[in-house]
Amino acid sequence: MAPNPQTPPVLFDRALLHARQRRAHAQGQVSFLLDRVNEDMADRLAAVMREFHVAADLWTPGDGLAALQTRLPSVQRVELDATGAEKLPFAAEAFDLVASALALQFVNDLPGVLAQIRRALKPDGLLLAAMIGGDSLTELRQAFAAAEAECEGGVSPRVAPFADLRDIGALLQRAGFALPVTDVDRVVVRYASAFALMQDLRRMGAANVLVERRRTPTRRATLLRMAEIYAERFADPDGRIRATFDVIWLSGWAPHASQQQPLKPGSAKASLAEAVRKARDT
């Protein structure tokens, strides 16, 4: 049977993601990225000149978004369940605010999830989220690809494909959000070795959960060569390696009559050509 072109591809094993996040939390989660996002989330919410009374924290790993819990009177926390289901338990127009941190990068049907969030927001309600994207972990991706090609004659999926800024902005518009805004916070973290980075990824619950991931253990020789290539290409003069994390921030509002509206075509009161002519004559 031919695949349904309307069905998004299943890239991530979200049940495995749930299990790894729970294990990371039980073992003591590495939280420096989530801590940074929490601080930034608090600053961004403080800059919004309106009150939020009912909010949802969607799939944020660990203990969730402290920025919401300390400021808002009512926060519904939605944790990733054991199946990794992407159908949201939200009624229509239920929330003033839906926020999410470091979770949407592992969604198989991101357009569908954004559309569900849009329906769950009251008119003039806000979506504010941070997700990993862009060039995140490009160093690890390149080092593994080079090592596998050299040692094994082929390359297996190691690092998830990440959406870029332009993709996310287009998806917000497609989902029906008004006034969509996206920006990137690039975080460069330094490690003693590639293995220290991989240990942190495991303790974030963010190790490889691709459906097409390699199911057999990686050869020791491949791992050692990957670490060598990483150090050769991406080390600073002191020998420590760099790891890039691009945190993409996205926001959008459920449409409301009070919001600023774009001008209709042909409604301008002055001619651009006339303005250019006048500027040229002066």
Side-chain angles (χ1 to χ4, degrees):
M1 181 181 295
N4 183 349
Q6 301 301 316
T7 303
V10 178
L11 299 177
F12 304 106
D13 184 340
R14 287 173 58 80
L16 177 62
L17 174 65
H18 171 266
R20 288 183 172 173
Q21 287 185 347
R22 286 179 63 87
R23 182 179 64 187
H25 191 255
Q27 293 177 346
Q29 189 174 31
V30 171
S31 63
F32 66 87
L33 276 181
L34 186 57
D35 293 343
R36 184 185 181 106
V37 168
N38 253 308
E39 292 177 9
D40 205 352
M41 182 77 73
D43 291 341
R44 288 169 186 254
L45 285 174
V48 179
M49 304 303 294
R50 63 156 295 177
E51 293 293 326
F52 299 106
H53 300 286
V54 184
D57 177 356
L58 179 61
W59 294 330
T60 299
D63 294 324
L65 277 166
L68 299 186
Q69 298 162 4
T70 57
R71 172 181 172 178
L72 303 178
S74 177
V75 178
Q76 176 181 332
R77 184 153 184 240
V78 180
E79 298 186 56
L80 186 67
D81 67 24
T83 69
E86 296 182 5
K87 183 174 176 57
L88 304 184
F90 293 161
E93 299 188 5
F95 300 101
D96 303 307
L97 170 69
V98 173
S100 178
L102 307 185
L104 297 183
Q105 70 270 10
F106 295 122
V107 170
N108 288 305
D109 183 13
L110 186 54
V113 167
L114 290 176
Q116 292 182 72
I117 295 171
R118 159 69 185 82
R119 288 193 295 271
L121 287 170
K122 298 177 182 179
D124 208 28
L126 175 65
L127 163 66
L128 181 59
M131 61 186 287
I132 300 300
D135 290 328
S136 295
L137 297 176
T138 183
E139 305 91 348
L140 185 63
R141 187 196 310 273
Q142 293 178 51
F144 255 124
E148 284 191 314
E150 179 181 317
C151 298
E152 303 183 25
V155 177
S156 61
R158 294 283 185 173
V159 179
F162 294 119
D164 64 24
L165 198 64
R166 186 175 301 177
D167 294 335
I168 299 302
L171 289 178
L172 286 170
Q173 291 182 316
R174 175 178 167 185
F177 284 95
L179 309 175
V181 176
T182 57
D183 62 87
V184 175
D185 175 25
R186 172 160 289 185
V187 184
V188 178
V189 185
R190 303 200 318 140
Y191 287 93
S193 70
F195 300 120
L197 164 63
M198 293 169 66
Q199 177 64 20
D200 264 13
L201 292 176
R202 283 192 289 270
R203 291 187 60 193
M204 292 177 190
N208 191 355
V209 293
L210 289 167
V211 170
E212 298 298 327
R213 69 192 179 277
R214 177 175 177 157
R215 305 303 176 105
T216 57
T218 303
R219 298 177 188 175
R220 184 172 184 272
T222 304
L223 283 172
L224 291 174
R225 182 61 182 136
M226 178 277 296
E228 289 176 353
I229 293 171
Y230 202 130
E232 290 167 3
R233 296 185 182 181
F234 304 110
D236 289 329
D238 62 0
R240 295 180 69 82
I241 63 165
R242 301 181 302 277
T244 298
F245 296 90
D246 281 350
V247 180
I248 295 183
W249 283 91
L250 55 147
S251 65
W253 298 83
H256 188 268
S258 66
Q259 293 166 354
Q260 183 178 355
Q261 303 295 319
L263 293 174
K264 296 179 180 179
S267 63
K269 293 183 169 63
S271 164
L272 177 59
E274 181 65 17
V276 171
R277 186 189 63 78
K278 288 181 178 179
R280 188 180 300 145
D281 294 342
T282 57

